[in-house]
Amino acid sequence: MASNRDEPLTFLTASTSDGGDSSQIGSASGSFQNDAFLSGFDGGDEDFGFSRSDFKQSPPVGTVKYYQRHVFLCYKKPQVWPPRIEAAEFDRLPRLLSAVLSSRKSELKKQTRLTICEGYDGTETSNGDVLIFPDMIRYRRLTHFDVDTFVEEVLVKDGEWLPGSPEPLRGSYIFVCSHGARDKRCGVCGPALVTRFKEEIESRGYESKVFVRPCSHIGGHKYAGNVIIFGSNNHQKVTGHWYGYVMPDDVPLLLDQHIEKGEIVDRLWRGQMGLSEEDQMKAQEQRLIANGDENTERSMEDGSQAADGGSACCRVSNPSENAGNFNLETKANGERKKGVKNQISINMGNKDAPTPHKVCTMPTWLETWEKEDVYAALALIGAAVSVAVAYNCYRQLG
């Protein structure tokens, strides 16, 4: 089968119902023999960056294929990664790890992704280190001699690799697709996001609890900048959330809302490890309903209609800056039978403050009359009654 250009490196069990081609190897780490492999791009932000024509043109939610475990091999820098991992002819470690995982995919109990992230000696993350999520563990210094044993013990048997010692990972780990040799959009957007993340992490003093790394292709070039965040949620469960169309100005929001508060930024959310594409869309829909929001596009349309004097019967003046979503809900017809008038509830979706509701009563047919019309009608009815009474008296007297 022909290789899908946009496929990430995924190893699925034989029983998977994912619907994708589980035999494909589509990520990359590299043929790293040439440190000048990636020298730059023709074109900049207008062609491949945050101002490109296809930016934010497709809804990102539900675009993460189902998987249960993510393995990151730390190996050199994005500037030298070739387009595909099978092209790593001169560097045996990434090529062998990919090959062994592919050959044993039917034995894997968990559907697994393999991605390359930046690593180099003399830093916290060295070449050959392996990070595994949601296990939140690190194995140090894997070599090409150890690949078969490592895959057997850790990824097939879900045990420990005895030559190594698993180290627990603490905090949050952020991976940004910066794989320019695979797609120029990732090559332009990714490094800019990594730089902004590092600046924000340093300015906030988060160096010991938030870690960011550029990574190879994860699927969905058109959603660049692509970001994955692994860490514990509010229920102390490790999750992996994917974001797309992330801009440098979104970095503080992700740190504030996702890292600090454990809340998902839905307008950028692509999906989550452990959920199918359908379940991702359902999960977001449930969150938006719970928060009193509609989807982003609907919310913008509703807001603009109200601002232009559209169909909304009332407005909330001076809304909060963070409360930009409207939810219009019409009461069911059954309520009308109970004497409840048809109502529209406008819910400002601000999670950080009590959610105000403004209820507008829809006018009945009688309430639409002007007062003068009502008085005139009553006068006519009174005159008619008077004439009828007088005529009745006349007949009795005659």
Side-chain angles (χ1 to χ4, degrees):
M1 179 180 294
S3 178
N4 185 343
R5 182 179 181 274
D6 200 34
E7 281 294 308
L9 181 60
T10 309
F11 302 95
L12 307 177
T13 59
S15 60
T16 179
S17 59
D18 178 61
D21 185 358
S22 61
S23 66
Q24 297 304 308
I25 300 177
S27 183
S29 60
S31 176
F32 304 107
Q33 72 279 9
N34 181 5
D35 287 341
F37 185 91
L38 183 61
S39 58
F41 304 115
D42 295 327
D45 187 75
E46 184 176 348
D47 297 317
F48 306 111
F50 306 107
S51 300
R52 65 185 188 270
S53 60
D54 68 342
F55 192 69
K56 293 187 178 181
Q57 294 301 305
S58 301
V61 65
T63 58
V64 178
K65 290 189 176 181
Y66 176 79
Y67 76 112
Q68 299 164 292
R69 175 171 55 195
H70 211 143
V71 177
F72 287 85
L73 172 64
C74 304
Y75 209 84
K76 298 193 177 181
K77 297 182 179 183
Q79 289 83 356
V80 297
W81 293 340
R84 297 182 179 276
I85 197 169
E86 65 268 25
E89 300 175 358
F90 296 91
D91 288 86
R92 287 176 289 182
L93 178 56
R95 174 168 52 87
L96 288 175
L97 182 57
S98 171
V100 173
L101 274 171
S102 181
S103 67
R104 304 200 64 176
K105 64 179 180 291
S106 63
E107 302 172 66
L108 299 176
K109 298 176 183 178
K110 298 178 181 178
Q111 299 188 32
T112 302
R113 287 181 183 266
L114 173 63
T115 301
I116 308 303
C117 68
E118 184 181 62
Y120 42 93
D121 297 337
T123 66
E124 174 64 18
T125 305
S126 301
N127 287 322
D129 287 1
V130 180
L131 312 178
I132 304 177
F133 302 93
D135 307 67
M136 293 292 287
I137 58 173
R138 179 208 314 267
Y139 281 97
R140 296 277 190 183
R141 294 290 192 172
L142 181 72
T143 71
H144 63 277
F145 297 109
D146 307 314
V147 167
D148 286 313
T149 304
F150 178 81
V151 172
E152 170 73 21
E153 299 297 331
V154 178
L155 303 179
V156 174
K157 295 182 177 179
D158 290 330
E160 292 187 3
W161 178 46
L162 295 181
S165 177
E167 302 175 8
L169 298 175
R170 295 181 175 87
S172 299
Y173 282 77
I174 302 172
F175 296 92
V176 182
C177 182
S178 306
H179 197 170
R182 185 68 182 271
D183 190 272
K184 293 181 179 180
R185 289 166 290 189
C186 298
V188 172
C189 296
L193 290 174
V194 171
T195 298
R196 184 63 187 273
F197 269 115
K198 288 183 177 180
E199 291 173 351
E200 285 290 326
I201 289 170
E202 182 179 0
S203 68
R204 296 167 183 242
Y206 288 179
E207 292 93 340
S208 62
K209 67 176 185 179
V210 182
F211 309 92
V212 61
R213 292 280 185 276
C215 71
S216 66
H217 175 59
I218 56 176
H221 303 297
K222 66 181 179 181
Y223 303 110
N226 284 304
V227 174
I228 309 178
I229 303 178
F230 294 96
S232 299
N233 60 17
N234 292 334
H235 303 288
Q236 301 305 308
K237 178 181 178 182
V238 177
T239 57
H241 291 275
W242 295 47
Y243 289 102
Y245 295 135
V246 179
M247 302 176 66
D249 288 345
D250 295 318
V251 168
L253 176 65
L254 288 174
L255 292 176
D256 289 337
Q257 188 163 324
H258 189 108
I259 301 293
E260 286 294 327
K261 299 179 182 179
E263 298 175 353
I264 294 171
V265 182
D266 276 298
R267 67 179 177 84
L268 303 173
W269 195 67
R270 289 187 57 189
Q272 178 181 340
M273 175 177 62
L275 293 182
S276 68
E277 292 146 293
E278 181 180 0
D279 288 339
Q280 292 160 23
M281 290 186 283
K282 289 181 179 178
Q284 185 183 76
E285 181 181 0
Q286 292 171 357
R287 284 195 304 271
L288 296 177
I289 292 174
N291 294 332
D293 299 337
E294 289 286 353
N295 62 66
T296 305
E297 294 181 0
R298 174 66 180 277
S299 302
M300 294 176 63
E301 291 174 359
D302 291 340
S304 62
Q305 286 179 358
D308 295 335
S311 60
C313 68
C314 58
R315 299 173 182 81
V316 180
S317 62
N318 298 324
S320 168
E321 180 181 356
N322 295 326
N325 292 328
F326 294 84
N327 183 27
L328 304 183
E329 298 177 353
T330 303
K331 297 294 184 179
N333 290 333
E335 292 182 339
R336 301 180 196 173
K337 297 179 181 179
K338 300 177 183 179
V340 180
K341 296 178 181 179
N342 192 26
Q343 298 175 337
I344 293 182
S345 173
I346 298 183
N347 178 19
M348 303 299 294
N350 186 356
K351 300 178 182 177
D352 299 329
T355 305
H357 292 269
K358 188 173 182 68
V359 177
C360 309
T361 303
M362 295 296 289
T364 64
W365 65 272
L366 183 59
E367 291 169 341
T368 60
W369 285 13
E370 297 291 341
K371 289 183 179 180
E372 292 80 0
D373 296 334
V374 175
Y375 294 152
L378 291 176
L380 289 173
I381 294 173
V385 171
S386 299
V387 171
V389 171
Y391 179 72
N392 187 48
C393 294
Y394 172 76
R395 290 185 61 185
Q396 291 179 356
L397 291 173

PDB file of all heavy atoms in Angstrom, residues 38-49:
ATOM      1  N   LEU A  38      18.945  20.309   7.014  1.00  0.00           N
ATOM      2  CA  LEU A  38      17.881  21.285   6.856  1.00  0.00           C
ATOM      3  C   LEU A  38      18.482  22.677   6.958  1.00  0.00           C
ATOM      4  O   LEU A  38      18.874  23.120   8.010  1.00  0.00           O
ATOM      5  CB  LEU A  38      16.826  21.093   7.951  1.00  0.00           C
ATOM      6  CG  LEU A  38      15.602  22.002   7.898  1.00  0.00           C
ATOM      7  CD1 LEU A  38      14.838  21.809   6.610  1.00  0.00           C
ATOM      8  CD2 LEU A  38      14.706  21.730   9.096  1.00  0.00           C
ATOM      9  N   SER A  39      18.565  23.377   5.867  1.00  0.00           N
ATOM     10  CA  SER A  39      19.238  24.666   5.849  1.00  0.00           C
ATOM     11  C   SER A  39      18.277  25.846   5.876  1.00  0.00           C
ATOM     12  O   SER A  39      18.675  26.972   6.056  1.00  0.00           O
ATOM     13  CB  SER A  39      20.117  24.779   4.600  1.00  0.00           C
ATOM     14  OG  SER A  39      19.336  24.623   3.430  1.00  0.00           O
ATOM     15  N   GLY A  40      16.987  25.597   5.666  1.00  0.00           N
ATOM     16  CA  GLY A  40      16.032  26.701   5.685  1.00  0.00           C
ATOM     17  C   GLY A  40      14.936  26.491   4.665  1.00  0.00           C
ATOM     18  O   GLY A  40      14.866  25.471   4.000  1.00  0.00           O
ATOM     19  N   PHE A  41      14.042  27.477   4.543  1.00  0.00           N
ATOM     20  CA  PHE A  41      12.892  27.348   3.679  1.00  0.00           C
ATOM     21  C   PHE A  41      12.831  28.513   2.706  1.00  0.00           C
ATOM     22  O   PHE A  41      13.322  29.602   2.978  1.00  0.00           O
ATOM     23  CB  PHE A  41      11.608  27.339   4.510  1.00  0.00           C
ATOM     24  CG  PHE A  41      11.568  26.275   5.556  1.00  0.00           C
ATOM     25  CD1 PHE A  41      11.542  26.610   6.902  1.00  0.00           C
ATOM     26  CD2 PHE A  41      11.566  24.939   5.201  1.00  0.00           C
ATOM     27  CE1 PHE A  41      11.502  25.626   7.867  1.00  0.00           C
ATOM     28  CE2 PHE A  41      11.530  23.949   6.166  1.00  0.00           C
ATOM     29  CZ  PHE A  41      11.498  24.301   7.493  1.00  0.00           C
ATOM     30  N   ASP A  42      12.199  28.268   1.581  1.00  0.00           N
ATOM     31  CA  ASP A  42      11.849  29.347   0.675  1.00  0.00           C
ATOM     32  C   ASP A  42      10.457  29.822   1.072  1.00  0.00           C
ATOM     33  O   ASP A  42       9.470  29.124   0.881  1.00  0.00           O
ATOM     34  CB  ASP A  42      11.832  28.855  -0.775  1.00  0.00           C
ATOM     35  CG  ASP A  42      13.219  28.443  -1.236  1.00  0.00           C
ATOM     36  OD1 ASP A  42      14.187  29.057  -0.775  1.00  0.00           O
ATOM     37  OD2 ASP A  42      13.306  27.505  -2.056  1.00  0.00           O
ATOM     38  N   GLY A  43      10.381  30.982   1.637  1.00  0.00           N
ATOM     39  CA  GLY A  43       9.104  31.469   2.133  1.00  0.00           C
ATOM     40  C   GLY A  43       9.127  31.541   3.645  1.00  0.00           C
ATOM     41  O   GLY A  43       9.932  30.891   4.298  1.00  0.00           O
ATOM     42  N   GLY A  44       8.237  32.324   4.208  1.00  0.00           N
ATOM     43  CA  GLY A  44       8.220  32.489   5.648  1.00  0.00           C
ATOM     44  C   GLY A  44       6.828  32.364   6.200  1.00  0.00           C
ATOM     45  O   GLY A  44       6.059  31.491   5.795  1.00  0.00           O
ATOM     46  N   ASP A  45       6.493  33.260   7.134  1.00  0.00           N
ATOM     47  CA  ASP A  45       5.228  33.156   7.840  1.00  0.00           C
ATOM     48  C   ASP A  45       4.027  33.240   6.908  1.00  0.00           C
ATOM     49  O   ASP A  45       3.033  32.555   7.096  1.00  0.00           O
ATOM     50  CB  ASP A  45       5.160  34.261   8.899  1.00  0.00           C
ATOM     51  CG  ASP A  45       3.944  34.117   9.781  1.00  0.00           C
ATOM     52  OD1 ASP A  45       3.950  33.220  10.639  1.00  0.00           O
ATOM     53  OD2 ASP A  45       2.995  34.886   9.613  1.00  0.00           O
ATOM     54  N   GLU A  46       4.110  34.059   5.884  1.00  0.00           N
ATOM     55  CA  GLU A  46       2.976  34.222   4.980  1.00  0.00           C
ATOM     56  C   GLU A  46       2.685  32.946   4.203  1.00  0.00           C
ATOM     57  O   GLU A  46       1.532  32.655   3.876  1.00  0.00           O
ATOM     58  CB  GLU A  46       3.254  35.371   4.007  1.00  0.00           C
ATOM     59  CG  GLU A  46       2.076  35.679   3.092  1.00  0.00           C
ATOM     60  CD  GLU A  46       2.348  36.877   2.207  1.00  0.00           C
ATOM     61  OE1 GLU A  46       3.344  37.593   2.464  1.00  0.00           O
ATOM     62  OE2 GLU A  46       1.564  37.098   1.268  1.00  0.00           O
ATOM     63  N   ASP A  47       3.725  32.166   3.907  1.00  0.00           N
ATOM     64  CA  ASP A  47       3.546  30.938   3.138  1.00  0.00           C
ATOM     65  C   ASP A  47       3.341  29.713   4.018  1.00  0.00           C
ATOM     66  O   ASP A  47       2.536  28.831   3.697  1.00  0.00           O
ATOM     67  CB  ASP A  47       4.772  30.706   2.239  1.00  0.00           C
ATOM     68  CG  ASP A  47       4.934  31.806   1.207  1.00  0.00           C
ATOM     69  OD1 ASP A  47       3.904  32.206   0.619  1.00  0.00           O
ATOM     70  OD2 ASP A  47       6.072  32.255   0.995  1.00  0.00           O
ATOM     71  N   PHE A  48       4.078  29.620   5.132  1.00  0.00           N
ATOM     72  CA  PHE A  48       4.071  28.400   5.936  1.00  0.00           C
ATOM     73  C   PHE A  48       3.804  28.632   7.417  1.00  0.00           C
ATOM     74  O   PHE A  48       3.636  27.671   8.163  1.00  0.00           O
ATOM     75  CB  PHE A  48       5.424  27.683   5.799  1.00  0.00           C
ATOM     76  CG  PHE A  48       5.827  27.413   4.383  1.00  0.00           C
ATOM     77  CD1 PHE A  48       6.887  28.081   3.806  1.00  0.00           C
ATOM     78  CD2 PHE A  48       5.126  26.494   3.616  1.00  0.00           C
ATOM     79  CE1 PHE A  48       7.263  27.839   2.498  1.00  0.00           C
ATOM     80  CE2 PHE A  48       5.486  26.240   2.305  1.00  0.00           C
ATOM     81  CZ  PHE A  48       6.557  26.912   1.739  1.00  0.00           C
ATOM     82  N   GLY A  49       3.760  29.875   7.846  1.00  0.00           N
ATOM     83  CA  GLY A  49       3.622  30.149   9.269  1.00  0.00           C
ATOM     84  C   GLY A  49       2.197  30.437   9.693  1.00  0.00           C
ATOM     85  O   GLY A  49       1.226  29.930   9.129  1.00  0.00           O
TER      86      GLY A  49
END
